[in-house]
Amino acid sequence: MERTSNGGMLYHEVQEANLCAVHCVNTVLQGPFFSEFDLAAVASDLDEKERQVMLEGAAAADFFSEESHNVSLGGDFSIQVLQKALEVWDLQVIPLNCPDAEPAQIDPELENAFICHLHDHWFCIRKVSGEWYNFDSLLAAPQHLSKFYLSAFLDSLKGSGWSIFIVKGNFPQECPMSSSSDASNAFGQWLSPEDAERILKETSSTQSSSSSSAVNNRSSDNVDQQRPYQALSREEVRTFSEMEDDDLKAAIAASLLDASAAGANLGAVGITSQREETEKQK
């Protein structure tokens, strides 16, 4: 069960190298509990156990491999590594699409944490002090999710091919913030919900300006393209929270489609402008 921790403060880690699995596990636990070396050790232990099992059942020449099946050369960890790491805290990780997870499929609000994975990227959606947040490490700060938006957001991720897992059990009640400076990594920060909202507003404003320049310069280096899902604006979430469930899902689906179409049109405008400029130069 989820309990109030650290006075409602939010623990968030911003993306460092390819360590999103580390960030994901730590934001599930809401504290800097694991480093990349800890997860690498878990992966190595799993690899060794898997080799032993395979060697006992067949010839070594058929199955022995030095290549790890639990961590890639790029630093991506398997779900088994995340499961083993969270088992240390008596937490269980189960797929959202399994029969045991049917209650969560009907009402995800009853859960406390979700892990999402696609294309070597992991992130966590977590309830803290009764409120839901998106702790994606590609975000500068945790993004608040209303209970109305949570279900639609998960449906959108599933529709985009994301694998989603539920985390169940008794989560750590708190991680002493005074120890964060001595933690095993330097990626994390403690934020109040108000600070998180302010940071997201500031980065959103900066990204909007950068996006306008990027279109004119045919640049692709903006956060929306890095993050493989489409988020709704704060105004849209507020509007949707006043709707009935059926209307809500339909409206969000339409908004997500409109946002994708708008992005495509924006790219087309940029390309057209560039072509016109080239013609003038000729």
Side-chain angles (χ1 to χ4, degrees):
M1 61 180 292
E2 191 266 344
R3 293 170 286 183
T4 301
S5 60
N6 295 306
M9 296 291 283
L10 309 172
Y11 179 76
H12 184 62
E13 295 189 357
V14 177
Q15 184 76 21
E16 178 75 15
N18 295 323
L19 302 181
C20 54
V22 178
H23 307 320
C24 179
V25 170
N26 284 335
T27 49
V28 166
L29 296 171
Q30 280 298 282
F33 292 94
F34 286 91
S35 71
E36 64 271 35
F37 304 108
D38 296 325
L39 292 195
V42 173
S44 177
D45 184 57
L46 285 171
D47 286 337
E48 182 59 29
K49 290 178 179 177
E50 289 171 2
R51 291 191 188 102
Q52 290 299 322
V53 170
M54 290 187 292
L55 288 172
E56 290 172 4
D62 293 334
F63 289 99
F64 186 77
S65 172
E66 290 294 336
E67 182 181 352
S68 172
H69 298 287
N70 291 290
V71 58
S72 69
L73 293 176
D76 183 42
F77 292 93
S78 69
I79 182 59
Q80 288 77 17
V81 172
L82 275 68
Q83 286 175 321
K84 284 294 182 183
L86 292 172
E87 280 179 7
V88 173
W89 293 92
D90 294 324
L91 295 172
Q92 184 182 16
V93 179
I94 62 174
L96 181 59
N97 60 0
C98 77
D100 291 342
E102 186 174 354
Q105 297 168 18
I106 298 172
D107 188 1
E109 169 68 14
L110 298 175
E111 301 302 324
N112 293 302
F114 296 92
I115 287 175
C116 308
H117 179 252
L118 179 69
H119 299 327
D120 298 342
H121 186 60
W122 296 95
F123 76 93
C124 154
I125 301 172
R126 176 77 149 84
K127 185 192 290 183
V128 178
S129 300
E131 297 293 329
W132 283 96
Y133 294 89
N134 175 3
F135 284 94
D136 192 337
S137 54
L138 293 179
L139 295 170
Q143 179 188 44
H144 181 260
L145 303 176
S146 73
K147 63 180 181 180
F148 300 96
Y149 182 39
L150 175 65
S151 179
F153 185 45
L154 290 171
D155 285 343
S156 175
L157 291 174
K158 286 186 287 185
S160 298
W162 287 78
S163 297
I164 303 177
F165 304 86
I166 310 169
V167 183
K168 289 181 170 291
N170 293 317
F171 292 81
Q173 186 169 3
E174 66 178 36
C175 173
M177 289 183 285
S178 60
S179 68
S180 60
S181 60
D182 301 323
S184 54
N185 70 51
F187 321 128
Q189 56 182 332
W190 295 97
L191 299 168
S192 69
E194 295 76 18
D195 284 339
E197 183 177 15
R198 174 183 54 78
I199 291 171
L200 287 178
K201 282 182 178 179
E202 291 173 354
T203 55
S204 177
S205 176
T206 302
Q207 289 160 13
S208 294
S209 300
S210 299
S211 261
S212 297
S213 300
V215 168
N216 293 331
N217 295 301
R218 301 183 67 186
S219 171
S220 61
D221 298 330
N222 60 71
V223 171
D224 285 337
Q225 289 172 321
Q226 294 176 17
R227 189 168 60 249
Y229 56 81
Q230 178 65 50
L232 298 182
S233 69
R234 186 174 293 99
E235 290 74 18
E236 288 173 315
V237 172
R238 186 180 299 112
T239 299
F240 294 147
S241 68
E242 299 172 356
M243 298 180 179
E244 295 296 330
D245 286 348
D246 290 342
D247 292 337
L248 170 69
K249 291 183 179 180
I252 288 179
S255 177
L256 292 173
L257 288 174
D258 289 345
S260 298
N265 291 336
L266 192 59
V269 169
I271 293 172
T272 301
S273 299
Q274 182 69 24
R275 286 176 178 171
E276 291 175 351
E277 183 65 26
T278 301
E279 291 298 327
K280 289 179 181 178
Q281 292 175 359
K282 290 181 178 178

